[in-house]
Amino acid sequence: MKPSRLAAGFFLSLCLSLLAPASSADEEAWKALREGRAFLILRHALAPGTGDPENFDLDDCSTQRNLNNRGLEQARSWKGLLARHGINEARVYSSQWCRSMDTATEMDVGDVTEWPALNSFFAGRGDGAMQTRQTIALVNTLEPGLPAVLVSHQVNITRLTGVYPSSGEGVIVALPLSDNPTVLATVAP
């Protein structure tokens, strides 16, 4: 075998061996979510831009960044991903921002409950340390039941988990939640 083919074969084998454990780890994360030993927190789906306009009003979606068509499709695709992993219904908690509420609603896996602790604190709009503490407390007081799905913002998720999610990307986190959480997997439809 030529050296370049040998190197390519080795590289392919290495890549495949690295993928197998990740798949197994992801399946364990999904199992933990189904069994109530973990929760899913995801960044709202695609809403082009950064931050919110100067005239931002929580009660007026026309003053906020909103999901575009791709974002709506991205949000809807969560239903199929969750179903493929045995989750057809969930308890859904969301930031009050329209793009988060719309993501949570378009997922169509359960009634959506607003949690102000999940609201964005980007650019000084809130208190990151306090909201993170509140989120930890709220998650840890959830009663056993359907899987829990939280919809929030990049800054909230990064502060809570250390993961910088893309729009529409989620993080499965072990329970109980603490200041030093165990991230089980990052997932996206």
Side-chain angles (χ1 to χ4, degrees), residues 9-129:
F10 174 76
F11 181 73
L12 180 60
S13 295
L14 177 63
C15 288
L16 290 174
S17 71
L18 292 174
L19 290 176
S23 177
S24 176
D26 284 356
E27 282 308 312
E28 284 301 314
W30 285 107
K31 181 178 179 188
L33 179 61
R34 282 191 306 274
E35 294 176 352
R37 296 180 289 113
F39 71 98
L40 170 64
I41 185 167
L42 62 112
R43 181 178 178 183
H44 60 77
L46 186 62
T50 303
D52 284 291
E54 290 287 323
N55 65 337
F56 171 87
D57 179 350
L58 187 60
D59 298 319
D60 183 354
C61 292
S62 71
T63 66
Q64 301 178 34
R65 282 183 24 231
N66 293 289
L67 303 183
N68 64 6
N69 288 336
R70 185 167 164 227
L72 289 167
E73 291 172 15
Q74 197 176 48
R76 291 178 190 130
S77 66
W78 272 99
K79 182 177 181 99
L81 177 64
L82 290 166
R84 284 192 300 279
H85 291 281
I87 300 168
N88 295 303
E89 200 175 357
R91 295 174 287 171
V92 184
Y93 304 93
S94 178
S95 156
Q96 296 172 304
W97 265 232
C98 294
R99 58 187 173 269
S100 293
M101 289 295 293
D102 290 345
T103 298
T105 302
E106 291 296 323
M107 291 172 67
D108 190 29
V109 293
D111 293 334
V112 179
T113 302
E114 294 179 4
W115 268 9
L118 297 173
N119 289 352
S120 178
F121 48 79
F122 181 75
R125 287 218 185 264
D127 181 335

Side-chain angles (χ1 to χ4, degrees), residues 135-185:
T135 299
I136 291 169
L138 287 166
V139 166
N140 286 333
T141 60
L142 289 173
E143 296 291 326
L146 293 171
V149 176
L150 285 60
V151 182
S152 192
H153 305 266
Q154 175 272 310
V155 292
N156 301 62
I157 297 167
T158 301
R159 182 157 191 155
L160 182 68
T161 67
V163 174
Y164 190 106
S166 298
S167 295
E169 186 175 41
V171 183
I172 300 176
V173 184
L175 291 170
L177 185 56
S178 69
D179 290 330
N180 188 19
T182 301
V183 172
L184 302 176

